[in-house]
Amino acid sequence: MDGTLLETMRTTLRGPVVGPEDPEYGRARTVYNGMIDKRPAAVVECHDTADVMAAVRFVHDNGLEMAVRGGGHSGPGLALSDGAVTIDLSPMRGVRVDPATRTAQADGGATLGDFDHATHAFGLATPAGIMSTTGIGGLTLGGGHGYLTRRYGLTVDNLVSADVVLADGTFVAANPGEHSDLFWALRGGGGNFGVVTSFDFDLHPVDTVGVAITLWPLELFHDVIRWYRDFLPQAPDDLSGFFAALTVPPGPPFPEEIHGRKMCGVVWSSTADPDELGETLAVVGEPGPPAFHFTTPMPYPALQTMFDALMPTGLQWYWRGDFFDRITDDAADVHASFAEKLPTDLSTMHLYPVDGAAGRVGPDETAWAYRDARWSGVIAGIDPDPANAAALREWAVDYWEALHPYSMGGGYVNFLGTGESQDRVRATYRGHYDRLAEAKRTYDPHNLFHANQNIEPAPPH
């Protein structure tokens, strides 16, 4: 994009347009994953929906390339494309709560921290992620799971309406009564259909939650994961717990004698009476004595921020994911083998439960195609040092390739990595892909929104 076109764009927008020659360019093109180093032609920092409409229309009318940034947490760095215009929603972070209807409206650039801060004042929350720095937009459009999923479903199960700027710069509301085909596609279909400038969510009573962390030595890995796979699915929806392979961080609440040790563990949370969690988890010794077990009541936003300091912006990330309906003994062997090979102290594997309330939603009600899954797994190579980027990727890919035969075939779209194939995207959407492609043809027939895990428009009839 030449300088004249850049200046023309600046005259049409309220928010700043940051180009490669501007002193703010380095900041503007920074995303959460430090492994991403892309040089967009411009970053349009939108202040309101009118800015988004004008920016999309400008890109469309001038035949430019485009990417969209919400919170900027995308692991593959899809918020940026070399030579493209990034529509940056991060200045749009407002959240409005209606306690009477138990609903909240969040702007497209809001983070989970913004959302939780606003809703917690009223003792309310909706299921969304495990880190407050995550953008609510990208998380929601991919489906969204978190600590509250077994009790209250996926994030998209709680989405009631969305405001969307389409590929030609026009604006529509999408909900069950208006553009219902678009609304269906937005609930799990990723950023393929437009720029969502605001989301309306149902909220649920959540205030103080019970939180626990249990860690076991790696020599108990097989016994622990087999116990976990049997215990959690039959537990009440109030209880959630994600399984992890990890290196124990050097700090509280962990005692010094286990700092730096590779372990397996579960991060538990409960929406039942927090004082009862200790009794509920009295069984954690069944697979073998834990090296560490800690329980405490905690305000829900504090739970959401628990890992923020451990995982700041700028680390090197490479991840891959899959869905699982079971954890076989052979899969447990794979997990145990790669847990011993964690390449850096921050690298990890998580199995997030997506059963309970999420599993009772009809398979065709949303674009999320894995209502029969029990776990959404992610393998993440993480480290601050760019020199370790290749090692992170190699470990994550090798782990994923060894584990994939035991998966359901597709993965959570927000956990797909860089350079995933079109077959992989199809597997993620299963039989919903063709319906999504039809919606794509209706709302984005020329595939302007392709800086994503892309769904190609269906060919004309």
Side-chain angles (χ1 to χ4, degrees), residues 430-452:
R430 282 173 152 177
H432 291 167
Y433 187 89
D434 288 344
R435 182 175 172 185
L436 287 163
E438 292 285 344
K440 180 75 168 179
R441 181 181 61 197
T442 299
Y443 293 100
D444 184 18
H446 303 295
N447 206 7
L448 180 68
F449 300 109
H450 63 262
N452 44 45

Side-chain angles (χ1 to χ4, degrees), residues 116-434:
D116 293 335
H117 171 76
T119 59
H120 185 69
F122 301 95
L124 300 169
T126 209
I130 67 161
M131 291 185 67
S132 77
T133 55
T134 306
I136 202 162
L139 179 128
T140 300
L141 294 173
H145 53 64
Y147 293 112
L148 303 178
T149 289
R150 295 193 78 239
R151 179 68 180 88
Y152 294 121
L154 302 173
T155 309
V156 290
D157 299 335
N158 296 274
L159 182 68
V160 295
S161 187
D163 290 344
V164 189
V165 176
L166 302 178
D168 60 357
T170 58
F171 172 91
V172 298
N175 52 60
E178 303 173 89
H179 300 284
S180 58
D181 55 340
L182 175 60
F183 183 60
W184 178 88
L186 292 174
R187 288 179 293 162
N192 275 282
F193 307 97
V195 183
V196 181
T197 57
S198 70
F199 301 81
D200 287 22
F201 297 100
D202 280 330
L203 302 174
H204 306 277
V206 179
D207 193 345
T208 298
V209 294
V211 177
I213 301 173
T214 311
L215 301 179
W216 293 265
L218 278 190
E219 53 263 31
L220 291 176
F221 193 106
H222 290 87
D223 294 328
V224 172
I225 198 169
R226 289 171 182 147
W227 170 80
Y228 169 80
R229 76 184 178 191
D230 296 331
F231 170 73
L232 189 63
Q234 56 78 38
D237 293 352
D238 285 331
L239 181 68
S240 188
F242 72 82
F243 184 90
L246 73 156
T247 302
V248 180
F254 307 111
E256 188 173 348
E257 60 265 24
I258 66 171
H259 289 177
R261 289 180 56 187
K262 292 182 173 66
M263 291 195 171
C264 62
V266 181
V267 178
W268 308 96
S269 59
S270 173
T271 54
D273 184 340
D275 295 330
E276 296 177 358
L277 184 58
E279 182 179 347
T280 301
L281 295 180
V283 295
V284 297
E286 290 183 1
F292 175 78
H293 181 64
F294 166 86
T295 63
T296 186
M298 188 178 290
Y300 178 68
L303 171 62
Q304 288 282 75
T305 62
M306 194 161 60
F307 300 111
D308 288 2
L310 189 65
M311 302 288 188
T313 296
L315 300 177
Q316 306 286 301
W317 282 77
Y318 189 88
W319 63 28
R320 289 284 182 92
D322 266 324
F323 287 118
F324 301 90
D325 59 357
R326 68 200 70 188
I327 301 169
T328 67
D329 289 350
D330 288 343
D333 289 343
V334 173
H335 285 301
S337 172
F338 281 90
E340 294 174 353
K341 304 172 189 174
L342 289 168
T344 60
D345 287 350
L346 292 175
S347 296
T348 188
M349 182 282 301
H350 292 173
L351 290 168
Y352 297 104
V354 290
D355 59 337
R360 291 190 289 273
V361 174
D364 298 326
E365 289 188 32
T366 68
W368 174 281
Y370 281 84
R371 294 294 178 174
D372 50 345
R374 285 189 169 176
W375 290 279
S376 171
V378 64
I379 298 158
I382 313 167
D383 195 65
D385 188 353
N388 289 328
L392 301 177
R393 187 185 190 283
E394 181 179 9
W395 173 80
V397 172
D398 288 350
Y399 192 165
W400 180 85
E401 288 179 347
L403 190 63
H404 183 64
Y406 307 103
S407 75
M408 300 175 75
Y412 177 36
V413 68
N414 289 344
F415 287 159
L416 298 192
T418 305
E420 300 267 13
S421 69
Q422 195 63 25
D423 287 344
R424 180 82 168 125
V425 176
R426 283 182 171 271
T428 289
Y429 291 112
R430 282 173 152 177
H432 291 167
Y433 187 89
D434 288 344

